[in-house]
Amino acid sequence: MTASLQRLPDASLDQLFRNARTVHAFQPVPVSDETLHALYDLLKWGPTAFNAQPARFVFVRSPKAKARLKPALSAGNQAQTDAASVSVIVAEDARFHEHLPTQFPAYDAKPLFDANAELAKSTAFRNSSLQGAYLILAARALGLDAGPQSGFNAELVDKEFFPDGRWHANFIVNLGVADAKGIFPRGPRLSFEEVAQIL
């Protein structure tokens, strides 16, 4: 007997993908601590290599913290970041593998990364990027709108927020409730035939 697929209803798929947009303006609706904890409690289940979970999240919400972030932002991203209820610095932990003995008990994978800095760096970047994507989907699942951005100076963010050099900024995601003026028409997407092969 073939197992049946447990497909989400169309309304859920619309919320996560089809109707979701990258948001560039936000309403002044606060995002609570409880919601941020719920957000992490969803995204943490997304898969990462060796269950390494190298992403680190800094929820920049207070006016004081936003002021610290602003100098690192490109001019075009400052207003939307200021308006967002919370801006998340998605960072990567260069020493993520220190947690592998507890997070990946299948075998001792920590020496692989201790001995190979380039492997550690590429693993941290790739998997923290995945976790940042999980964050966007988790936010949408909870009813939040998201505006991911890479228009910022990562060196300035690292200097301001991560001076010990262990964490490094990957990208930023603004979260909140969308203002209609910051939702633009959806751009086209490439077709299956243009991007995929079935072998």
Side-chain angles (χ1 to χ4, degrees):
M1 179 180 293
T2 302
S4 60
L5 300 178
Q6 298 298 310
R7 186 181 187 276
L8 288 174
D10 277 334
S12 297
L13 299 177
D14 288 344
Q15 182 167 327
L16 292 174
F17 293 101
R18 299 186 190 115
N19 294 337
R21 298 289 189 274
T22 295
V23 174
H24 300 279
F26 295 87
Q27 299 179 45
V29 178
V31 174
S32 68
D33 287 5
E34 180 182 25
T35 298
L36 295 180
H37 281 272
L39 176 67
Y40 179 71
D41 284 341
L42 278 179
L43 78 88
K44 71 182 181 183
W45 298 113
T48 55
F50 297 93
N51 197 33
Q53 307 160 69
R56 303 294 180 260
F57 306 96
V58 178
F59 295 100
V60 181
R61 190 174 58 183
S62 70
K64 184 177 179 180
K66 287 284 189 80
R68 292 173 58 198
L69 181 60
K70 188 173 182 177
L73 302 174
S74 65
N77 285 335
Q78 290 180 2
Q80 63 196 36
T81 302
D82 188 54
S85 301
V86 59
S87 300
V88 189
I89 303 170
V90 179
E92 58 195 61
D93 182 357
R95 299 294 303 169
F96 70 88
H97 41 291
E98 292 180 357
H99 297 279
L100 289 180
T102 57
Q103 300 305 299
F104 187 72
Y107 62 87
D108 187 9
K110 182 176 177 290
L112 293 175
F113 300 99
D114 287 334
N116 190 332
E118 188 56 41
L119 177 63
K121 182 177 179 180
S122 63
T123 300
F125 178 73
R126 182 179 305 111
N127 289 276
S128 67
S129 299
L130 277 174
Q131 290 183 277
Y134 302 147
L135 179 143
I136 293 168
L137 290 176
R140 290 173 174 178
L142 293 174
L144 294 171
D145 295 294
Q149 58 178 277
S150 56
F152 68 98
N153 186 318
E155 289 183 7
L156 288 181
V157 172
D158 288 351
K159 183 178 179 181
E160 179 64 32
F161 290 89
F162 315 126
D164 68 358
R166 176 166 174 157
W167 294 10
H168 301 283
N170 186 333
F171 64 103
I172 294 171
V173 183
N174 290 326
L175 298 176
V177 176
D179 185 326
K181 70 182 181 184
I183 301 176
F184 305 126
R186 164 159 286 172
R189 298 298 194 267
L190 296 170
S191 70
F192 184 94
E193 290 73 21
E194 291 175 294
V195 302
Q197 299 178 47
I198 301 175
L199 303 178

